[in-house]
Amino acid sequence: ETGLPGANNTVFISHGDCYDDAKKLADMVTAEFGITDILIDYVGPVIGAHSGPGTLAIFFMATER
């Protein structure tokens, strides 16, 4: 609801050693919102130490916080 409109936005997906799940999430974002600029990478070591394997996080620009 708060995502900026348009398919020219960048979405960031971070994962905890579950690239296949992150890719599936990216495919869902593309199918639902038409966004194709999606960057996938690992969570950092500090977040990973607290969240563990299987973590997925999605980041995007929004109209409000």
Side-chain angles (χ1 to χ4, degrees):
E1 291 179 10
T2 62
L4 293 176
N8 294 328
N9 296 319
T10 301
V11 169
F12 303 91
I13 298 174
S14 295
H15 68 92
D17 201 25
C18 56
Y19 177 81
D20 291 340
D21 293 336
K23 179 66 173 118
K24 183 176 180 179
L25 179 58
D27 293 342
M28 292 168 60
V29 168
T30 298
E32 181 72 22
F33 303 105
I35 297 172
T36 57
D37 189 11
I38 302 174
L39 302 174
I40 300 174
D41 204 354
Y42 288 97
V43 295
V46 174
I47 298 299
H50 287 84
S51 60
T55 298
L56 279 178
I58 186 166
F59 304 92
F60 58 92
M61 297 300 293
T63 56
E64 60 185 69
R65 189 173 175 146

